[in-house]
């Protein structure tokens, strides 16, 4: 479960998020939408304790992020899978190695790593690309590798910041299917996105942020608000 | 830590050691020079301390008898020596006995000198009643006929201490300077490694690697640099000390003293050099990690 209680974030004097109250239950799928500069990425970074709030409390599963010591951060992140617009793959490692990396650095056993990585690569339709390097892949394939890396440790929450931002619509649709599959397996999915076609075609809970404040929180929303504003 | 994790760290650290090429080489060299100096310094100081201890507690005066002195003349000499008030006992030791002692202390290499080749003198070993009397006894003995030399410890001790004091001061200063250079060079190679692995470190943090995990390879790279730097000085000092030991053994035994024998002594110095090398490496790595691997 994720819970934001009266969370504000300031950079120097500038308020980027103001009094955010948000609860996400385990297994939900949430789109975070809003104009550029609204604070979506800031919210995401607060979630994985890349940033600390200036005010308020954030809970992620059993972790109180505002009270957590820096030594605790790795253990928070092992329960999260994080995906970015720019993939963040390591160029000198193959597809297999990139995915295995997440298990290696969290000290999993080699035999387990081999088995689990192959399993995830198969799920992602990447098994036959496993010896390629990121530079030898299309954008969609690279993003699939990044997602594979994010979920290989079976996180309870998958966080994505504009995962389709660099992809053409058709490829983006494929990526969304993957997130939906992950969601169906029981993970929470939090996705910041500008992709309205996707939000409209695959309706889930929508949280809209404008100028640092939540202006809409709708159970099965569309990208643009169609109802009556309160 | 499980074996497969250790293996991964070790592999990682060797990879960056290799990738840093000349930087690593410079750092290893700096460590080597520093430790070479430290090793020489240690060997010197420890032996000087050993000798001065031997000398201070020594009541003996070794009266070297001129070559070609007859048995009768020797007996006369012995009586004269024994008559001195400060003398407790006089013992005769022939050149052959002297040689045996050398061989006993310094090993078979000196066995070569047996027989006519023996370079040593016959000796009367006098024991003074107290250490403070050795100077007077030696002076008096020197005046007697057929005496080639009368050696005792005290007269060399003072000079030795002065020289050693000066060496100690300069060597400490120089060593401190070199130590800093070595640590700086190591921290610099580690800095470069950290920079070149920024993307990797970012991903590691993202997927939940602990700080300890992230740090290990850098720490090890520093430690290897220190260890590699220690190897050359260890070899050189081991060889060098054996050489000096064999060359000087005869001289020292003539005075009745011994240098520390190489076996245990060198293991001690080698151990110190390895340890200091690793500490230098660890210090260099830690400095860079503190500055460039902020949590
Ligand atoms: N480290 C920072 N220091 C100062 N200001 C920042 C920092 N990070 C973000 N901001 C500001 O906070 C505001 C929100 O940024 P954020 O990246 O969260 O927006 P966003 O909703 O993700 O936008 P986009 O849709 O373009 O990605 C912006 O005005 C940005 O300039
Ligand atoms: Mg953003």
């Amino acid at each position: 479960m994720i819970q934001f209680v009266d969370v504000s974030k300031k950079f120097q004097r500038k308020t980027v998020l103001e009094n955010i109250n948000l609860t996400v239950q385990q297994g939900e799928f949430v789109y975070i939408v809003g104009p550029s500069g609204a604070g979506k990425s800031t919210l995401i970074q607060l979630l994985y304790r890349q940033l600390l709030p200036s005010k308020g409390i954030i809970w992620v599963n059993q972790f109180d992020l505002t009270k957590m010591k820096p030594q605790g951060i790795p253990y928070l992140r092992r329960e999260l899978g994080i995906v970015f617009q720019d993939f963040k793959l390591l160029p000198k490692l193959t597809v297999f190695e990139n995915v295995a990396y997440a298990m290696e650095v969290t000290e999993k056993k080699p035999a387990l790593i081999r088995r689990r990585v192959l399993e995830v690569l198969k799920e992602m339709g990447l098994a036959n690309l496993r010896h390629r390097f990121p530079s030898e892949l299309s954008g969609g394939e690279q993003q699939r590798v990044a997602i594979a890396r994010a979920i290989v440790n079976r996180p309870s929450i998958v966080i994505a910041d504009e995962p389709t931002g660099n992809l053409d619509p058709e490829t983006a649709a494929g990526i969304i299917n993957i997130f939906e599959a992950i969601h169906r397996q029981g993970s929470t999915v939090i996705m910041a996105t500008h992709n309205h076609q996707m939000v409209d075609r695959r309706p889930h809970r929508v949280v809209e942020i404008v100028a640092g404040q939540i202006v809409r929180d709708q159970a099965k929303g569309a990208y643009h608000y169609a109802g009556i504003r309160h | 830590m499980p074996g497969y994790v250790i293996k991964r760290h070790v592999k990682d650290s060797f990879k960056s050691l290799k990738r840093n090429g000349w930087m690593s080489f410079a750092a290893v060299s700096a460590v080597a020079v520093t430790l070479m100096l430290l090793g020489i310094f240690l060997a010197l100081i420890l032996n000087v301390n050993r000798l001065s201890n031997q000398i201070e507690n020594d009541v003996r005066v070794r009266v070297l008898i001129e070559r070609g002195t007859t048995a009768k003349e020797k007996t006369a000499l012995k009586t004269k020596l024994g008559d001195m008030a400060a003398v407790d006992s006089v013992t005769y030791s022939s050149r052959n006995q002297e040689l045996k002692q050398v061989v006993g202390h310094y090993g078979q290499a000196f066995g070569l000198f047996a027989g006519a080749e023996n370079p040593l003198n016959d000796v009367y070993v006098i024991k003074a009643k107290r250490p403070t009397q050795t100077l007077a006894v030696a002076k008096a003995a020197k005046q007697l006929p057929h005496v080639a030399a009368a050696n005792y410890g005290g007269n060399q001790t003072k000079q030795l201490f002065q020289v050693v004091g000066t060496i100690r001061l300069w060597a400490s200063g120089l060593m401190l300077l070199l130590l800093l250079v070595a640590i700086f060079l190591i921290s610099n190679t580690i800095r470069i490694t950290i920079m070149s692995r920024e993307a990797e470190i970012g991903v590691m943090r993202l997927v939940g690697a602990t700080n300890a995990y992230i740090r290990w390879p850098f720490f090890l790279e520093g430690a290897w640099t220190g260890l590699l730097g220690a190897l050359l000085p260890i070899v050189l000092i081991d060889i060098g000390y054996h050489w000096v030991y064999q060359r000087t053994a005869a001289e020292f035994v003539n005075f009745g003293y011994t240098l520390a024998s190489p076996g245990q002594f060198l293991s001690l110095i080698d151990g110190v050099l390895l340890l200091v090398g690793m500490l230098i490496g660890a210090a260099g790595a830690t400095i860079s990690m503190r500055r460039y691997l902020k949590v």
Side-chain angles (χ1 to χ4, degrees), chain B residues 146 157 279:
Chain B
H146 308 296
T157 328
L279 287 180

Side-chain angles (χ1 to χ4, degrees), chain A residues 48 50 70 73-75 77-78 80 82 84 88 90 92 101-110 113 149 153, chain B residues 1-2 4-5 8-9 12 15 19 196-197 199-213 295:
Chain A
Y48 64 93
Q50 183 65 24
I73 297 175
Y75 302 97
R77 296 201 179 154
R78 287 176 194 192
L80 308 176
I82 311 171
F84 296 94
K88 297 201 194 305
L90 297 173
K92 285 183 187 160
Y101 199 70
M103 295 186 82
E104 282 173 3
V105 303
T106 48
E107 309 189 16
K108 305 291 192 297
K109 287 206 175 84
I113 294 177
R149 182 180 66 191
N153 283 325
Chain B
M1 203 186 301
Y4 52 87
V5 175
R8 215 174 276 144
H9 287 322
D12 247 27
K15 231 195 273 172
R19 190 162 42 190
S196 72
R197 297 187 59 192
E200 256 178 279
I201 294 168
V203 171
M204 281 198 248
R205 289 200 193 291
L206 212 57
V207 299
T210 60
N211 267 314
Y213 184 94
V295 190

Side-chain angles (χ1 to χ4, degrees), chain B residues 114-192:
Chain B
E117 297 289 307
N118 184 350
L120 303 174
N121 293 66
D122 296 325
V123 172
Y124 276 126
V125 180
I126 304 177
K127 280 200 175 131
K129 284 177 179 147
R130 266 174 281 126
T132 45
Q133 293 168 325
T134 51
L135 170 62
V137 171
K139 269 191 178 156
K142 189 87 204 285
Q143 306 303 319
L144 300 173
H146 308 296
V147 172
N151 298 324
Y152 76 105
N155 53 348
Q156 292 110 22
T157 328
K158 235 183 175 173
Q159 279 182 336
L160 201 60
F161 274 128
Q162 270 172 359
V163 173
V164 168
T166 318
I167 293 176
R168 208 178 291 195
L169 194 72
W170 281 97
S172 302
L174 187 61
M175 228 153 34
L176 193 72
L177 201 74
L178 284 169
L179 202 72
L180 291 179
V181 170
I183 291 178
F184 169 78
L185 285 175
I186 290 181
S187 79
N188 205 41
T189 57
I190 302 297
R191 180 181 65 89
I192 288 172

Side-chain angles (χ1 to χ4, degrees), chain A residues 36-37 39-42 44 85 161-162 192 194:
Chain A
S36 184
K40 303 183 294 295
S41 296
T42 305
I44 298 269
Q85 180 172 357
D161 194 353
E162 296 193 37
H194 282 295

Side-chain angles (χ1 to χ4, degrees), chain B residues 32 35-36 39-40 227-243 266-267 269-271 273-274:
Chain B
L35 293 184
M36 188 72 212
I40 293 172
L227 273 182
L228 284 176
L231 291 184
L232 188 68
I234 283 175
V235 171
L236 289 182
I237 284 171
D238 282 17
I239 294 172
Y241 190 75
H242 275 286
W243 188 82
L266 284 180
S267 331
I269 291 195
D270 293 353
L273 293 188
L274 277 178

Side-chain angles (χ1 to χ4, degrees), chain A residues 21 24 34 44 47 50 84 142 144 147 173 195 198 214:
Chain A
N21 284 286
V24 178
I44 298 269
L47 265 178
Q50 183 65 24
F84 296 94
Q142 287 185 55
R144 265 148 58 203
I147 296 170
N195 191 333
M198 174 176 90
I214 296 183

